[in-house]
Amino acid sequence: MVNSPNILAFEKVADPRKVCMLVPYEGNLIFVVRQHKDGRVSVEPPGGKRDPLVYGGRIESPEEALVREAHEELGIKIRPLDRLGVEAHPFTGAPVGYYYCEHVSGVPYNIETRQHLQVIEVSAGRTSMDDFRRACSMRRVAGVPVEFRLPENVYESYLKRVGDATIPTFPLPRPADFIPK
């Protein structure tokens, strides 16, 4: 769990440079399994940096970046609906905006094979998410625990937005099924 002591300060950031999306798809949330250059492995919401070159020198809006990233990373179309919160990036400390997005069309799959090991769907229910978070932390890759990167306060904002009672619970993917040993 990533918690920032500066969350209130970050909430005032109008347009964070990096954006992540929480996209429900068939009752689950979409996550990517990412292998980092230093060997770490993390499970996190898909997203990326806002591109300054897309619009002739004007940096794209967070919403434009989310739509582009969903297409480039997952092959799906989304519609950004709400900003759920802003958190510090766990390594750089830079603000990261988390957004609730509606799935519009397409079946998510792993387009960015150089960046992601896999695209997975995790039940969005509170109990399932907590169990999955614990399961990830117990899994190790080259002796290093797998990091689950969904800030708790962002997840709580998501539950308030969609209503915890409306989220079905499905069997969890086991981290051993998608994370290399």
Side-chain angles (χ1 to χ4, degrees):
M1 174 180 358
V2 179
N3 280 318
S4 167
N6 299 323
I7 185 64
L8 294 176
F10 280 138
E11 281 301 324
K12 296 177 181 173
V13 174
D15 292 323
R17 181 65 197 241
K18 182 165 174 34
V19 293
C20 290
M21 62 192 93
L22 273 68
V23 182
Y25 176 74
E26 296 183 351
N28 298 311
L29 285 175
I30 301 169
F31 288 89
V32 294
V33 181
R34 184 172 296 207
Q35 177 120 35
H36 301 272
K37 292 177 185 174
D38 62 5
R40 289 176 296 106
V41 173
S42 63
V43 176
E44 56 194 64
K49 294 179 183 166
R50 294 168 54 206
D51 193 340
L53 304 176
V54 173
Y55 296 98
R58 175 183 70 80
I59 190 165
E60 64 189 347
S61 72
E63 293 79 9
E64 290 165 335
L66 290 163
V67 169
R68 178 182 52 76
E69 289 286 347
H71 183 263
E72 289 176 358
E73 292 188 5
L74 306 169
I76 63 173
K77 291 183 180 179
I78 60 152
R79 180 178 302 117
L81 299 176
D82 289 328
R83 184 164 89 172
L84 298 171
V86 181
E87 273 286 346
H89 189 278
F91 305 110
T92 66
V96 178
Y98 290 85
Y99 294 79
Y100 170 61
C101 300
E102 174 185 34
H103 173 264
V104 175
S105 66
V107 176
Y109 67 100
N110 187 13
I111 294 176
E112 288 284 340
T113 55
R114 291 178 318 224
Q115 221 177 23
H116 306 142
L117 298 173
Q118 191 169 353
V119 172
I120 61 170
E121 299 169 31
V122 178
S123 172
R126 183 185 309 277
T127 301
S128 299
M129 195 64 70
D130 289 345
D131 289 346
F132 188 75
R133 184 185 306 273
R134 278 191 293 282
C136 282
S137 69
M138 291 187 291
R139 183 79 174 141
R140 296 178 118 27
V141 175
V144 178
V146 173
E147 301 169 49
F148 183 73
R149 293 190 189 165
L150 177 61
E152 190 65 35
N153 61 316
V154 171
Y155 179 61
E156 291 297 325
S157 293
Y158 170 79
L159 291 178
K160 286 178 188 170
R161 171 65 169 83
V162 300
D164 194 14
T166 65
I167 301 173
T169 300
F170 295 95
L172 285 170
R174 297 175 310 193
D177 293 340
F178 62 85
I179 298 175
K181 295 180 181 190

